[in-house]
Amino acid sequence: MLKYLFAKNEDIPAGSAAVYWGFSAIVWFVIGTGLGSFNAAKLAFPDFVTGSEFFAFGHMRQVHVHAVIFGWISMAFGMAMMYITPALGNTRLWSEKLGVWNAFLWNVGLSLGLTLLWAGLTSGREYSDFIWPIDLFIAVFMALPLAINVWMTILTRRTQGIYTTNWFFAAATFMVIIVFLTGNLPEFFHLTGLTEAYLTWWFAHNVLGLWITPVAAAIAYYTIPKVTGNPLYSHRIGHLHFWSVVVFYSTPAAHHLMSAPLPEWLKSFASVEGVLILVPAIAFVSNILLTMQGKWNMFVENLEIRFTVTGVLLAIPLNMQGGFQQTRAINWYIHGTGWIVAHAHLALLGFSTFLEAAAVYLGLQSLMKRKLYSLTLGNMHFWLLLIGFSIYWISMTIAGLIQGAGKIYEVPYIDVVIAEHPYMIARWIGGTLVFISNIIWLYNMWMTARVGTIVPVGRMPHEMAYER
Amino acid sequence: MNFREYKIGARMFGFALGGSMCITLFLPSFDFRSAVSTETALDKQLTAGWETGWNVYDPLMLGHNKPLKVLVKTDPKSGQPLAEATYAYVYNVGTPLPNGIDHPDNLGESVEKLSETKGQIGQKTANGTVYLIKHEGNVPYIENATATMGWTPDMVMKGASDSDISHAGAGKTLFVREGCWWCHTLLPEQTQDWQVFGAPPMLGDFNGESPTAFGSDRKAPDLLHVGSRNSSREWMMLHFFNPRLVQPHSIMPRFDYLWGKVDANGQKIDYAKWRTEYDEYHAGKRIDPPDVPMYAKNSEIRDLIDFMLSLK
Ligand code: HEM
């Protein structure tokens, strides 16, 4: 792949960039969940590996979070954009070479940022933990080239209108740059105090709400109609989804700081807007599930559909939790507990990851023109991921409720720690299953690239039967 | 081919996102700007200095270039005992100044005015600066003691014994670097934490602090007032070396590596031996755990314990 960095744009086969992004994403997925599993082990058994700061929980936690968000999820997004945007515009990617460079710079920037975080060099601001030179690098050399490629591909399209997926791609690649530059203002210009605290959560909220959630949803808008052959149920509902994301999802940042001394009007406003996130959520879920009409057999038979629909179904509990847990009536109980960690993994490991995994499965098979090496391994990946995630989510939700009760009844803290111990072990087991499933996936995709059955010209991989 | 240009859509998009940013960024900025520093805020920013996250003055986050907080009992200039011992914040030459000194408008109106007129914080001093916190009525303000009384860093440091000097500013850097805030919060909640963890912070308690490191994920006691609950250096020392020495069920990591290479007497610390002996103790083969080495005066753990004890 690296040989294309210095090739002429015309000489690079279409799809190379997407394949590079896709495999990088899977590798980051393995690394990121491996680190997650290691962290979970440390919270269950604090003396698991000691004696070096490089294996201390406080040095490793943020490396896990950033490896999965900016490595796995964002690179899977990049892969999806590299092949879906041109496909929907009936054209080629604007610049295959820029795409390859972009993936290369993404890997370099992320490796550098994660190494620094690992050593403890951090801004001390959750989710914008990267130090500001890295933030600038991300905005300029990672996010901007991606935006340019997506935008130019859409502008040079050979269709009249723009399909739903591409509205989201275009808007999200633009918004993530704004979010990066604005959310890190405290670091660029040394803003302090409550301004710093608030902007930290403004960044965290919007990077999830204007980048991860809409792009993941946009991917489902492509995979489901593409693989089932059904047209999208309703473009109107798609409109509703898009506009309510921009209006409602971009405003509730303050609901992350309900117990901090922020202005009361801001907290109330955020809390109302947070409930309104149910609008895009319901629009999205209903639109996708209605598109499935008449093709529900594929939920069982087809791996990509199974991944996507599972992710969409997980969006239902996710948004119900999200809408209500941030109201004052509930937030005081679960704020800062494992409940939130469970919720974060429902969003990123449940909802989002399942959609991206489908896009990467579908994209790599179509671009490499090879059928998936083994359905059995694919099924193992799916079930281990789902079961591992469920164990994680259930155990952390229970741990969170225990912590919440301990908090309001003022139980001595150490008793809460003792009560959580079994759930910490369960979470570690669940997360380790996820990690193992990803190694299987990496192997399966690697074998697909090497020996997968060749898909004849003019056919789609999902039209062919699985052979193994 | 005839393209649809999405002119209306693009404008609506700008309007929607701009409106959202106006409500969530522009409007709150007025509230934030009107926050007036409390005494806590002044103390925090003078103790921690300019920045305790990554910054160019301390690129490896070792706690370098930080002010010292010194308990002054005698007038450093005249040598006369002071009526009441007071804390002085010592900024040697080159130590970057906190936000409130460089940008006094961040202190909040009344505090800014007093600090500039009575406190003379705008005065430049060549050989470093010593700051104090004073009051007029119930309004706290910062005083540049070098300008008003001629106290220089050298004089203050000469009169101070090591136990009067707090490295809490460097300690806050380590708090950020070591990720203590992934488990501990610095934000007792308004709804129910009063009794156990103490009073929640007030609106003006954060002016000039960066990063605030509230922590969002609480797996351990809140630390905002830990120094009032527990002010024992010995306990802290044992607890940081290995939390299981004092709290067998703790999930807190060991921070023994913050002791560095040598102990207070300059002896090399033999970590491997300590761990083997501790494992023997844990397995019931020894009655007592091995002794925790006394930390050196300039070790990182000293900075961190100073910071813990400063959280009153
Ligand atoms: C794609 C998959 C994953 C994503 C996107 C993800 C994302 C995240 C995020 C965003 C957080 C921060 C949560 C918060 O602050 O509330 C987090 C924390 C964490 N994750 Fe994951 N994660 C993934 C998989 C895993 C796996 C497989 C494990 C293995 C057990 C794991 C273990 C952890 C642990 C232990 C924490 C720290 C929680 C704490 O501080 O209490 N994660 N992860």
Side-chain angles (χ1 to χ4, degrees), chain A residues 29 33 36-37 39-40 43 57 61 64-65 68-69 72-73 126-127 340-341 344-345 348-349 353 392 396 427-428 431-432 434-435, chain B residues 182 216-217 219:
Chain A
F29 199 9
T33 49
S37 159
N39 284 347
L43 289 179
F57 179 76
R61 184 194 189 275
H64 157 65
V65 171
V68 287
I69 293 184
W72 154 238
I73 293 189
E126 188 166 358
Y127 290 103
I340 304 291
V341 177
H345 286 83
L348 294 165
L349 174 56
T353 287
Y392 190 120
M396 284 316 284
R427 180 254 294 268
W428 170 58
T432 308
V434 172
F435 171 52
Chain B
W182 294 122
S216 69
D217 207 346
K219 298 183 266 302

mmCIF file of all heavy atoms in Angstrom, chain A residues 29 33 36-37 39-40 43 57 61 64-65 68-69 72-73 126-127 340-341 344-345 348-349 353 392 396 427-428 431-432 434-435, chain B residues 182 216-217 219, ligand 1:
data_model
loop_
_atom_site.group_PDB
_atom_site.id
_atom_site.type_symbol
_atom_site.label_atom_id
_atom_site.label_comp_id
_atom_site.label_asym_id
_atom_site.label_seq_id
_atom_site.Cartn_x
_atom_site.Cartn_y
_atom_site.Cartn_z
ATOM 1 N N PHE A 29 -8.584 -1.624 15.906
ATOM 2 C CA PHE A 29 -9.642 -2.247 16.697
ATOM 3 C C PHE A 29 -9.033 -3.313 17.609
ATOM 4 O O PHE A 29 -9.341 -3.381 18.807
ATOM 5 C CB PHE A 29 -10.666 -2.868 15.739
ATOM 6 C CG PHE A 29 -12.011 -3.142 16.351
ATOM 7 C CD1 PHE A 29 -12.352 -2.693 17.620
ATOM 8 C CD2 PHE A 29 -12.971 -3.836 15.624
ATOM 9 C CE1 PHE A 29 -13.606 -2.941 18.151
ATOM 10 C CE2 PHE A 29 -14.220 -4.085 16.152
ATOM 11 C CZ PHE A 29 -14.543 -3.646 17.420
ATOM 12 N N THR A 33 -9.059 -2.659 21.626
ATOM 13 C CA THR A 33 -9.796 -3.514 22.555
ATOM 14 C C THR A 33 -8.835 -4.315 23.419
ATOM 15 O O THR A 33 -9.157 -4.643 24.557
ATOM 16 C CB THR A 33 -10.768 -4.447 21.810
ATOM 17 O OG1 THR A 33 -10.056 -5.081 20.758
ATOM 18 C CG2 THR A 33 -11.931 -3.688 21.241
ATOM 19 N N GLY A 36 -8.196 -2.107 26.147
ATOM 20 C CA GLY A 36 -9.396 -2.053 26.993
ATOM 21 C C GLY A 36 -9.428 -3.236 27.936
ATOM 22 O O GLY A 36 -9.674 -3.093 29.143
ATOM 23 N N SER A 37 -9.143 -4.400 27.379
ATOM 24 C CA SER A 37 -9.175 -5.595 28.195
ATOM 25 C C SER A 37 -8.112 -5.531 29.291
ATOM 26 O O SER A 37 -8.338 -5.915 30.443
ATOM 27 C CB SER A 37 -8.969 -6.796 27.277
ATOM 28 O OG SER A 37 -8.526 -7.891 27.982
ATOM 29 N N ASN A 39 -6.930 -2.751 30.673
ATOM 30 C CA ASN A 39 -7.412 -1.808 31.687
ATOM 31 C C ASN A 39 -8.436 -2.456 32.599
ATOM 32 O O ASN A 39 -8.435 -2.237 33.810
ATOM 33 C CB ASN A 39 -8.083 -0.604 31.023
ATOM 34 C CG ASN A 39 -7.078 0.345 30.440
ATOM 35 O OD1 ASN A 39 -5.899 0.252 30.730
ATOM 36 N ND2 ASN A 39 -7.547 1.261 29.630
ATOM 37 N N ALA A 40 -9.334 -3.231 31.994
ATOM 38 C CA ALA A 40 -10.379 -3.873 32.785
ATOM 39 C C ALA A 40 -9.745 -4.828 33.783
ATOM 40 O O ALA A 40 -10.166 -4.910 34.944
ATOM 41 C CB ALA A 40 -11.342 -4.606 31.873
ATOM 42 N N LEU A 43 -8.550 -2.930 36.768
ATOM 43 C CA LEU A 43 -9.578 -2.481 37.712
ATOM 44 C C LEU A 43 -10.119 -3.645 38.531
ATOM 45 O O LEU A 43 -10.673 -3.458 39.609
ATOM 46 C CB LEU A 43 -10.712 -1.778 36.970
ATOM 47 C CG LEU A 43 -10.329 -0.409 36.403
ATOM 48 C CD1 LEU A 43 -11.493 0.214 35.676
ATOM 49 C CD2 LEU A 43 -9.853 0.525 37.510
ATOM 50 N N PHE A 57 -2.793 2.230 35.367
ATOM 51 C CA PHE A 57 -4.123 2.503 34.816
ATOM 52 C C PHE A 57 -4.235 3.939 34.311
ATOM 53 O O PHE A 57 -4.753 4.186 33.226
ATOM 54 C CB PHE A 57 -5.187 2.231 35.883
ATOM 55 C CG PHE A 57 -6.585 2.509 35.412
ATOM 56 C CD1 PHE A 57 -7.230 1.632 34.564
ATOM 57 C CD2 PHE A 57 -7.241 3.661 35.807
ATOM 58 C CE1 PHE A 57 -8.517 1.890 34.116
ATOM 59 C CE2 PHE A 57 -8.523 3.927 35.364
ATOM 60 C CZ PHE A 57 -9.170 3.046 34.509
ATOM 61 N N ARG A 61 -5.591 4.290 30.347
ATOM 62 C CA ARG A 61 -7.018 4.410 30.066
ATOM 63 C C ARG A 61 -7.275 5.278 28.845
ATOM 64 O O ARG A 61 -8.009 4.905 27.943
ATOM 65 C CB ARG A 61 -7.733 5.003 31.284
ATOM 66 C CG ARG A 61 -9.235 5.064 31.101
ATOM 67 C CD ARG A 61 -9.830 5.965 32.164
ATOM 68 N NE ARG A 61 -11.268 5.924 32.200
ATOM 69 C CZ ARG A 61 -12.051 6.663 31.432
ATOM 70 N NH1 ARG A 61 -11.523 7.460 30.530
ATOM 71 N NH2 ARG A 61 -13.350 6.592 31.540
ATOM 72 N N HIS A 64 -6.510 3.666 25.463
ATOM 73 C CA HIS A 64 -7.609 2.817 24.984
ATOM 74 C C HIS A 64 -8.701 3.661 24.317
ATOM 75 O O HIS A 64 -9.109 3.394 23.187
ATOM 76 C CB HIS A 64 -8.197 2.021 26.154
ATOM 77 C CG HIS A 64 -9.614 1.559 25.950
ATOM 78 N ND1 HIS A 64 -9.955 0.647 24.973
ATOM 79 C CD2 HIS A 64 -10.778 1.884 26.563
ATOM 80 C CE1 HIS A 64 -11.268 0.430 25.019
ATOM 81 N NE2 HIS A 64 -11.794 1.180 25.964
ATOM 82 N N VAL A 65 -9.148 4.689 25.042
ATOM 83 C CA VAL A 65 -10.277 5.477 24.544
ATOM 84 C C VAL A 65 -9.943 6.099 23.191
ATOM 85 O O VAL A 65 -10.736 6.042 22.245
ATOM 86 C CB VAL A 65 -10.661 6.552 25.585
ATOM 87 C CG1 VAL A 65 -11.675 7.517 25.000
ATOM 88 C CG2 VAL A 65 -11.209 5.904 26.834
ATOM 89 N N VAL A 68 -9.603 3.480 20.238
ATOM 90 C CA VAL A 68 -10.853 2.985 19.649
ATOM 91 C C VAL A 68 -11.630 4.092 18.937
ATOM 92 O O VAL A 68 -12.205 3.866 17.875
ATOM 93 C CB VAL A 68 -11.759 2.260 20.676
ATOM 94 C CG1 VAL A 68 -11.197 0.917 21.024
ATOM 95 C CG2 VAL A 68 -11.997 3.093 21.909
ATOM 96 N N ILE A 69 -11.633 5.305 19.497
ATOM 97 C CA ILE A 69 -12.437 6.354 18.860
ATOM 98 C C ILE A 69 -11.762 6.861 17.590
ATOM 99 O O ILE A 69 -12.386 6.946 16.536
ATOM 100 C CB ILE A 69 -12.682 7.530 19.822
ATOM 101 C CG1 ILE A 69 -13.567 7.074 20.972
ATOM 102 C CG2 ILE A 69 -13.346 8.689 19.092
ATOM 103 C CD1 ILE A 69 -13.946 8.167 21.927
ATOM 104 N N TRP A 72 -10.000 2.938 15.536
ATOM 105 C CA TRP A 72 -10.999 2.035 14.961
ATOM 106 C C TRP A 72 -12.161 2.814 14.326
ATOM 107 O O TRP A 72 -12.345 2.768 13.105
ATOM 108 C CB TRP A 72 -11.491 1.047 16.016
ATOM 109 C CG TRP A 72 -12.867 0.513 15.779
ATOM 110 C CD1 TRP A 72 -13.934 0.601 16.614
ATOM 111 C CD2 TRP A 72 -13.346 -0.231 14.630
ATOM 112 N NE1 TRP A 72 -15.029 -0.010 16.062
ATOM 113 C CE2 TRP A 72 -14.698 -0.527 14.843
ATOM 114 C CE3 TRP A 72 -12.751 -0.646 13.436
ATOM 115 C CZ2 TRP A 72 -15.482 -1.218 13.923
ATOM 116 C CZ3 TRP A 72 -13.535 -1.350 12.508
ATOM 117 C CH2 TRP A 72 -14.873 -1.631 12.753
ATOM 118 N N ILE A 73 -12.942 3.525 15.133
ATOM 119 C CA ILE A 73 -14.189 4.088 14.610
ATOM 120 C C ILE A 73 -13.921 5.097 13.500
ATOM 121 O O ILE A 73 -14.501 5.024 12.414
ATOM 122 C CB ILE A 73 -15.008 4.711 15.761
ATOM 123 C CG1 ILE A 73 -15.465 3.591 16.691
ATOM 124 C CG2 ILE A 73 -16.178 5.506 15.226
ATOM 125 C CD1 ILE A 73 -16.434 3.985 17.742
ATOM 126 N N GLU A 126 -10.616 15.587 29.479
ATOM 127 C CA GLU A 126 -11.137 14.319 29.003
ATOM 128 C C GLU A 126 -11.651 14.422 27.568
ATOM 129 O O GLU A 126 -12.375 15.353 27.232
ATOM 130 C CB GLU A 126 -12.257 13.834 29.932
ATOM 131 C CG GLU A 126 -12.686 12.425 29.586
ATOM 132 C CD GLU A 126 -13.531 11.786 30.674
ATOM 133 O OE1 GLU A 126 -13.760 12.414 31.705
ATOM 134 O OE2 GLU A 126 -13.980 10.652 30.447
ATOM 135 N N TYR A 127 -11.321 13.457 26.764
ATOM 136 C CA TYR A 127 -11.626 13.344 25.332
ATOM 137 C C TYR A 127 -10.815 14.305 24.469
ATOM 138 O O TYR A 127 -10.591 14.042 23.304
ATOM 139 C CB TYR A 127 -13.119 13.510 25.012
ATOM 140 C CG TYR A 127 -13.936 12.345 25.491
ATOM 141 C CD1 TYR A 127 -14.707 12.431 26.633
ATOM 142 C CD2 TYR A 127 -13.897 11.138 24.823
ATOM 143 C CE1 TYR A 127 -15.433 11.348 27.097
ATOM 144 C CE2 TYR A 127 -14.630 10.051 25.263
ATOM 145 C CZ TYR A 127 -15.391 10.162 26.406
ATOM 146 O OH TYR A 127 -16.101 9.081 26.856
ATOM 147 N N ILE A 340 -22.511 5.120 33.406
ATOM 148 C CA ILE A 340 -22.115 5.955 32.279
ATOM 149 C C ILE A 340 -21.104 5.210 31.405
ATOM 150 O O ILE A 340 -21.130 5.306 30.183
ATOM 151 C CB ILE A 340 -21.509 7.283 32.784
ATOM 152 C CG1 ILE A 340 -22.493 8.004 33.696
ATOM 153 C CG2 ILE A 340 -21.095 8.166 31.628
ATOM 154 C CD1 ILE A 340 -23.720 8.537 33.005
ATOM 155 N N VAL A 341 -20.224 4.460 32.053
ATOM 156 C CA VAL A 341 -19.256 3.675 31.278
ATOM 157 C C VAL A 341 -20.013 2.653 30.437
ATOM 158 O O VAL A 341 -19.715 2.436 29.253
ATOM 159 C CB VAL A 341 -18.252 2.987 32.219
ATOM 160 C CG1 VAL A 341 -17.289 2.126 31.424
ATOM 161 C CG2 VAL A 341 -17.489 4.017 33.028
ATOM 162 N N ALA A 344 -21.529 4.503 27.560
ATOM 163 C CA ALA A 344 -20.528 4.856 26.554
ATOM 164 C C ALA A 344 -20.213 3.656 25.672
ATOM 165 O O ALA A 344 -20.049 3.788 24.456
ATOM 166 C CB ALA A 344 -19.258 5.367 27.232
ATOM 167 N N HIS A 345 -20.155 2.479 26.266
ATOM 168 C CA HIS A 345 -19.854 1.300 25.449
ATOM 169 C C HIS A 345 -21.066 0.843 24.657
ATOM 170 O O HIS A 345 -20.917 0.257 23.583
ATOM 171 C CB HIS A 345 -19.285 0.181 26.317
ATOM 172 C CG HIS A 345 -17.876 0.459 26.736
ATOM 173 N ND1 HIS A 345 -17.566 1.255 27.804
ATOM 174 C CD2 HIS A 345 -16.683 0.103 26.183
ATOM 175 C CE1 HIS A 345 -16.249 1.362 27.903
ATOM 176 N NE2 HIS A 345 -15.687 0.685 26.941
ATOM 177 N N LEU A 348 -20.661 3.197 21.654
ATOM 178 C CA LEU A 348 -19.504 3.052 20.772
ATOM 179 C C LEU A 348 -19.218 1.605 20.403
ATOM 180 O O LEU A 348 -18.888 1.305 19.266
ATOM 181 C CB LEU A 348 -18.290 3.681 21.429
ATOM 182 C CG LEU A 348 -18.432 5.195 21.588
ATOM 183 C CD1 LEU A 348 -17.412 5.744 22.538
ATOM 184 C CD2 LEU A 348 -18.303 5.870 20.247
ATOM 185 N N LEU A 349 -19.356 0.717 21.362
ATOM 186 C CA LEU A 349 -19.069 -0.690 21.091
ATOM 187 C C LEU A 349 -20.334 -1.384 20.604
ATOM 188 O O LEU A 349 -20.284 -2.295 19.790
ATOM 189 C CB LEU A 349 -18.523 -1.343 22.368
ATOM 190 C CG LEU A 349 -18.265 -2.840 22.392
ATOM 191 C CD1 LEU A 349 -17.333 -3.238 21.286
ATOM 192 C CD2 LEU A 349 -17.681 -3.263 23.720
ATOM 193 N N THR A 353 -20.081 0.516 16.626
ATOM 194 C CA THR A 353 -19.149 -0.488 16.110
ATOM 195 C C THR A 353 -19.832 -1.491 15.185
ATOM 196 O O THR A 353 -19.278 -1.883 14.154
ATOM 197 C CB THR A 353 -18.478 -1.215 17.292
ATOM 198 O OG1 THR A 353 -17.552 -0.322 17.896
ATOM 199 C CG2 THR A 353 -17.767 -2.465 16.839
ATOM 200 N N TYR A 392 -20.384 -7.022 29.194
ATOM 201 C CA TYR A 392 -19.826 -5.739 29.601
ATOM 202 C C TYR A 392 -20.928 -4.794 30.044
ATOM 203 O O TYR A 392 -20.896 -4.220 31.133
ATOM 204 C CB TYR A 392 -19.056 -5.124 28.412
ATOM 205 C CG TYR A 392 -18.238 -3.913 28.757
ATOM 206 C CD1 TYR A 392 -16.851 -3.899 28.563
ATOM 207 C CD2 TYR A 392 -18.836 -2.775 29.273
ATOM 208 C CE1 TYR A 392 -16.096 -2.797 28.881
ATOM 209 C CE2 TYR A 392 -18.077 -1.665 29.582
ATOM 210 C CZ TYR A 392 -16.726 -1.681 29.389
ATOM 211 O OH TYR A 392 -15.973 -0.581 29.701
ATOM 212 N N MET A 396 -21.548 -3.575 33.950
ATOM 213 C CA MET A 396 -21.244 -2.192 34.324
ATOM 214 C C MET A 396 -22.497 -1.426 34.716
ATOM 215 O O MET A 396 -22.441 -0.515 35.542
ATOM 216 C CB MET A 396 -20.505 -1.472 33.192
ATOM 217 C CG MET A 396 -19.056 -1.861 33.079
ATOM 218 S SD MET A 396 -18.199 -1.947 34.647
ATOM 219 C CE MET A 396 -17.958 -0.222 35.013
ATOM 220 N N ARG A 427 -16.841 -7.716 33.666
ATOM 221 C CA ARG A 427 -16.558 -6.791 32.591
ATOM 222 C C ARG A 427 -15.255 -7.168 31.867
ATOM 223 O O ARG A 427 -15.159 -7.107 30.652
ATOM 224 C CB ARG A 427 -16.479 -5.369 33.160
ATOM 225 C CG ARG A 427 -16.185 -4.290 32.158
ATOM 226 C CD ARG A 427 -14.797 -3.715 32.214
ATOM 227 N NE ARG A 427 -14.482 -2.980 33.412
ATOM 228 C CZ ARG A 427 -14.643 -1.668 33.565
ATOM 229 N NH1 ARG A 427 -15.149 -0.966 32.598
ATOM 230 N NH2 ARG A 427 -14.280 -1.094 34.663
ATOM 231 N N TRP A 428 -14.297 -7.582 32.660
ATOM 232 C CA TRP A 428 -13.021 -7.962 32.063
ATOM 233 C C TRP A 428 -13.219 -9.187 31.149
ATOM 234 O O TRP A 428 -12.711 -9.227 30.022
ATOM 235 C CB TRP A 428 -12.008 -8.260 33.172
ATOM 236 C CG TRP A 428 -10.749 -8.879 32.685
ATOM 237 C CD1 TRP A 428 -9.892 -8.371 31.760
ATOM 238 C CD2 TRP A 428 -10.227 -10.145 33.082
ATOM 239 N NE1 TRP A 428 -8.847 -9.247 31.554
ATOM 240 C CE2 TRP A 428 -9.031 -10.333 32.357
ATOM 241 C CE3 TRP A 428 -10.640 -11.131 33.989
ATOM 242 C CZ2 TRP A 428 -8.251 -11.483 32.513
ATOM 243 C CZ3 TRP A 428 -9.865 -12.261 34.152
ATOM 244 C CH2 TRP A 428 -8.678 -12.432 33.419
ATOM 245 N N GLY A 431 -15.115 -8.041 27.976
ATOM 246 C CA GLY A 431 -14.261 -7.262 27.086
ATOM 247 C C GLY A 431 -13.211 -8.131 26.407
ATOM 248 O O GLY A 431 -12.855 -7.910 25.251
ATOM 249 N N THR A 432 -12.745 -9.148 27.116
ATOM 250 C CA THR A 432 -11.733 -10.014 26.525
ATOM 251 C C THR A 432 -12.340 -10.822 25.376
ATOM 252 O O THR A 432 -11.674 -11.084 24.367
ATOM 253 C CB THR A 432 -11.126 -10.919 27.605
ATOM 254 O OG1 THR A 432 -10.697 -10.083 28.679
ATOM 255 C CG2 THR A 432 -9.939 -11.688 27.076
ATOM 256 N N VAL A 434 -14.578 -9.698 23.398
ATOM 257 C CA VAL A 434 -14.586 -8.757 22.275
ATOM 258 C C VAL A 434 -13.209 -8.714 21.619
ATOM 259 O O VAL A 434 -13.079 -8.776 20.393
ATOM 260 C CB VAL A 434 -14.991 -7.355 22.766
ATOM 261 C CG1 VAL A 434 -14.811 -6.333 21.664
ATOM 262 C CG2 VAL A 434 -16.417 -7.365 23.276
ATOM 263 N N PHE A 435 -12.190 -8.659 22.435
ATOM 264 C CA PHE A 435 -10.821 -8.602 21.932
ATOM 265 C C PHE A 435 -10.516 -9.854 21.082
ATOM 266 O O PHE A 435 -10.011 -9.768 19.963
ATOM 267 C CB PHE A 435 -9.868 -8.467 23.123
ATOM 268 C CG PHE A 435 -8.418 -8.597 22.793
ATOM 269 C CD1 PHE A 435 -7.854 -7.827 21.792
ATOM 270 C CD2 PHE A 435 -7.617 -9.479 23.494
ATOM 271 C CE1 PHE A 435 -6.512 -7.936 21.490
ATOM 272 C CE2 PHE A 435 -6.273 -9.592 23.209
ATOM 273 C CZ PHE A 435 -5.725 -8.824 22.197
ATOM 274 N N TRP B 182 -8.897 9.865 36.586
ATOM 275 C CA TRP B 182 -9.737 8.831 35.965
ATOM 276 C C TRP B 182 -10.500 8.074 37.035
ATOM 277 O O TRP B 182 -11.428 7.338 36.717
ATOM 278 C CB TRP B 182 -8.895 7.865 35.136
ATOM 279 C CG TRP B 182 -8.260 8.517 33.955
ATOM 280 C CD1 TRP B 182 -6.925 8.572 33.681
ATOM 281 C CD2 TRP B 182 -8.913 9.215 32.892
ATOM 282 N NE1 TRP B 182 -6.724 9.267 32.519
ATOM 283 C CE2 TRP B 182 -7.924 9.672 32.011
ATOM 284 C CE3 TRP B 182 -10.252 9.507 32.606
ATOM 285 C CZ2 TRP B 182 -8.214 10.401 30.862
ATOM 286 C CZ3 TRP B 182 -10.539 10.234 31.469
ATOM 287 C CH2 TRP B 182 -9.527 10.666 30.614
ATOM 288 N N SER B 216 -14.903 12.647 35.388
ATOM 289 C CA SER B 216 -16.305 12.380 35.098
ATOM 290 C C SER B 216 -16.699 11.011 35.617
ATOM 291 O O SER B 216 -17.848 10.650 35.650
ATOM 292 C CB SER B 216 -16.538 12.394 33.597
ATOM 293 O OG SER B 216 -15.893 11.280 33.026
ATOM 294 N N ASP B 217 -15.720 10.262 36.030
ATOM 295 C CA ASP B 217 -15.908 8.849 36.235
ATOM 296 C C ASP B 217 -15.393 8.572 37.636
ATOM 297 O O ASP B 217 -14.194 8.623 37.855
ATOM 298 C CB ASP B 217 -14.995 8.184 35.190
ATOM 299 C CG ASP B 217 -15.457 6.846 34.773
ATOM 300 O OD1 ASP B 217 -16.312 6.291 35.438
ATOM 301 O OD2 ASP B 217 -14.923 6.347 33.760
ATOM 302 N N LYS B 219 -14.511 6.361 40.644
ATOM 303 C CA LYS B 219 -14.352 5.004 41.140
ATOM 304 C C LYS B 219 -13.724 5.017 42.521
ATOM 305 O O LYS B 219 -13.305 3.988 43.026
ATOM 306 C CB LYS B 219 -13.430 4.214 40.199
ATOM 307 C CG LYS B 219 -13.999 4.085 38.805
ATOM 308 C CD LYS B 219 -13.120 3.244 37.903
ATOM 309 C CE LYS B 219 -12.160 4.056 37.088
ATOM 310 N NZ LYS B 219 -12.783 5.057 36.225
HETATM 311 C C1 HEM C 1 -14.916 -0.381 19.895
HETATM 312 C C2 HEM C 1 -14.891 -0.741 21.089
HETATM 313 C C3 HEM C 1 -14.777 0.189 22.275
HETATM 314 C C4 HEM C 1 -14.991 1.534 22.348
HETATM 315 C C5 HEM C 1 -15.391 2.448 21.220
HETATM 316 C C6 HEM C 1 -14.722 1.946 23.700
HETATM 317 C C7 HEM C 1 -14.808 3.243 24.150
HETATM 318 C C8 HEM C 1 -14.561 3.649 25.443
HETATM 319 C C9 HEM C 1 -14.825 4.952 25.974
HETATM 320 C C10 HEM C 1 -15.412 6.106 25.210
HETATM 321 C C11 HEM C 1 -14.472 4.954 27.278
HETATM 322 C C12 HEM C 1 -14.624 6.120 28.253
HETATM 323 C C13 HEM C 1 -15.905 5.887 29.018
HETATM 324 C C14 HEM C 1 -16.282 7.005 29.975
HETATM 325 O O1 HEM C 1 -15.478 7.919 30.225
HETATM 326 O O2 HEM C 1 -17.403 6.997 30.478
HETATM 327 C C15 HEM C 1 -13.949 3.668 27.572
HETATM 328 C C16 HEM C 1 -13.476 3.281 28.801
HETATM 329 C C17 HEM C 1 -13.100 1.985 29.105
HETATM 330 N N1 HEM C 1 -13.174 0.872 28.255
HETATM 331 FE FE1 HEM C 1 -13.764 0.854 26.343
HETATM 332 N N2 HEM C 1 -14.348 0.863 24.423
HETATM 333 C C18 HEM C 1 -14.381 -0.230 23.584
HETATM 334 C C19 HEM C 1 -14.091 -1.537 23.898
HETATM 335 C C20 HEM C 1 -13.650 -1.942 25.139
HETATM 336 C C21 HEM C 1 -13.288 -3.285 25.466
HETATM 337 C C22 HEM C 1 -13.354 -4.485 24.546
HETATM 338 C C23 HEM C 1 -12.903 -3.277 26.751
HETATM 339 C C24 HEM C 1 -12.446 -4.493 27.513
HETATM 340 C C25 HEM C 1 -12.846 -4.754 28.699
HETATM 341 C C26 HEM C 1 -12.998 -1.920 27.239
HETATM 342 C C27 HEM C 1 -12.675 -1.507 28.513
HETATM 343 C C28 HEM C 1 -12.738 -0.214 28.967
HETATM 344 C C29 HEM C 1 -12.360 0.196 30.289
HETATM 345 C C30 HEM C 1 -11.832 -0.699 31.387
HETATM 346 C C31 HEM C 1 -12.577 1.568 30.371
HETATM 347 C C32 HEM C 1 -12.318 2.454 31.578
HETATM 348 C C33 HEM C 1 -13.607 2.604 32.295
HETATM 349 C C34 HEM C 1 -13.461 3.383 33.543
HETATM 350 O O3 HEM C 1 -12.592 4.265 33.620
HETATM 351 O O4 HEM C 1 -14.245 3.126 34.462
HETATM 352 N N3 HEM C 1 -13.456 -1.135 26.239
HETATM 353 N N4 HEM C 1 -14.015 2.870 26.438
#
